[in-house]
């Protein structure tokens, strides 16, 4: 049962890596062509999600190669990678929010932006649900932490979608910056928890 769950978690993490690489490249290219700061930022955040999932991929492969070894050391490394992913995401959110306000940048209501947001929300809701389910069954803190990173990305997609709609219908252009600052707290908190859990596991060994 445990072996099958780790295999499933590995497949999900590998899928997220490939999906986010494609999404990130396309978002950055289209964002650059259309001078869309939001899409460029969205693409950069996809790269951070890739880094977080690579930590889980690395952990699971090490567990599969060493099934009789203590998993704690593998989990500590994965937690630290995900923790740094959260901190990089926090920096991206802070920088994006500041630049949006400083440059008085308005959210773009583009068909591609809407499409990216909707597809990302649908895919990541499915991914995060399965990550949480598998992580809780295995009692794997790194997989659960990675699921929470995915949830932050879902919220970011919602912010992108909602802020564009609000600006389109009301002319209020700072919804995305406010949303980014709101997500900043959650991202920093989760990153801090990843390192705290890694530290506790280190002391237990």
């Amino acid at each position: 049962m445990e072996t099958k769950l780790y295999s499933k978690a590995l497949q999900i993490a590998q899928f997220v890596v490939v999906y986010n690489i494609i999404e990130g490249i396309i978002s950055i290219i289209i964002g650059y062509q259309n001078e869309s700061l939001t899409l460029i930022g969205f693409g950069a955040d996809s790269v951070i999600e890739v880094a977080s999932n690579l930590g889980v991929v690395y952990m699971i492969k090490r567990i599969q190669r060493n099934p009789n070894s203590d998993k704690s050391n593998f989990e500590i490394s994965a937690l630290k990678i995900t923790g740094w992913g959260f901190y990089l995401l926090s920096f991206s959110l802070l920088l994006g929010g500041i630049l949006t306000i400083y440059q008085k940048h308005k959210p773009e209501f583009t068909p591609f932006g809407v499409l990216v947001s909707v597809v990302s929300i649908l895919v990541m809701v499915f991914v995060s649900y399965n990550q949480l389910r598998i992580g809780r069954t295995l009692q794997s803190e790194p997989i659960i932490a990675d699921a929470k990173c995915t949830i932050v990305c879902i919220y970011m997609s919602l912010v992108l979608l909602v802020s564009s709609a609000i600006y389109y219908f009301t002319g209020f252009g700072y919804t995305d910056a406010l949303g980014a600052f709101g997500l900043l707290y959650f991202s920093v908190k989760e990153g801090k928890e990843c390192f705290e859990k890694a530290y506790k596991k280190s002391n237990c060994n």
Side-chain angles (χ1 to χ4, degrees):
M1 178 65 174
E2 182 179 281
T3 303
K4 289 183 179 180
L5 286 173
Y6 273 119
S7 295
K8 183 67 175 178
L10 178 61
Q11 291 171 0
I12 292 172
Q14 290 172 329
F15 166 76
V16 173
V17 168
V18 174
Y19 173 82
N20 276 284
I21 288 174
I22 295 171
E23 180 187 72
I25 291 172
I26 293 174
S27 296
I28 290 172
I29 291 173
I30 301 297
Y32 179 78
Q33 291 176 344
N34 291 277
E35 298 182 353
S36 170
L37 184 64
T38 304
L39 279 176
I40 293 173
F42 192 81
D45 294 327
S46 296
V47 175
I48 296 170
E49 178 76 0
V50 168
S52 175
N53 276 274
L54 283 176
V56 173
V57 170
Y58 177 63
M59 177 195 75
I60 295 174
K61 284 188 173 294
R62 288 179 71 188
I63 290 173
Q64 289 177 333
R65 285 196 298 265
N66 305 276
N68 298 320
S69 300
D70 183 9
K71 298 182 180 66
S72 295
N73 291 331
F74 308 148
E75 291 183 336
I76 288 168
S77 298
L79 281 168
K80 288 180 178 178
I81 292 172
T82 302
W84 281 116
F86 270 117
Y87 282 153
L88 285 172
L89 185 58
S90 302
F91 176 75
S92 174
L93 288 166
L94 178 62
L95 182 63
I98 291 173
L99 286 175
T100 296
I101 294 173
Y102 178 74
Q103 297 179 352
K104 297 181 179 179
H105 184 79
K106 309 301 181 186
E108 299 88 355
F109 193 81
T110 63
F112 183 78
V114 173
L115 179 63
V116 167
S117 297
V118 172
V119 171
S120 180
I121 290 168
L122 293 175
V123 171
M124 291 304 143
V125 164
F126 172 78
V127 167
S128 63
Y129 169 79
N130 283 282
Q131 285 175 323
L132 283 173
R133 181 177 59 82
I134 293 172
R136 286 167 179 164
T137 302
L138 292 171
Q139 296 182 328
S140 173
E141 291 176 343
I143 295 176
I144 293 171
D146 194 46
K148 290 181 178 179
C149 189
T150 303
I151 290 170
V152 172
C153 292
I154 293 172
Y155 289 150
M156 288 179 64
S157 298
L158 285 169
V159 167
L160 174 62
L161 188 62
V162 172
S163 62
S164 297
I166 289 176
Y167 177 67
Y168 182 80
F169 290 110
T170 70
F172 182 71
Y174 296 103
T175 312
D176 52 347
L178 294 174
F181 290 141
L183 290 174
L184 177 62
Y185 167 78
F186 181 77
S187 186
V188 170
K189 174 177 171 291
E190 292 299 331
K192 182 171 176 286
E193 284 187 6
C194 283
F195 282 103
E196 287 174 347
K197 289 173 181 177
Y199 179 74
K200 287 179 182 177
K201 282 183 176 290
S202 297
N203 286 343
C204 289
N205 288 342

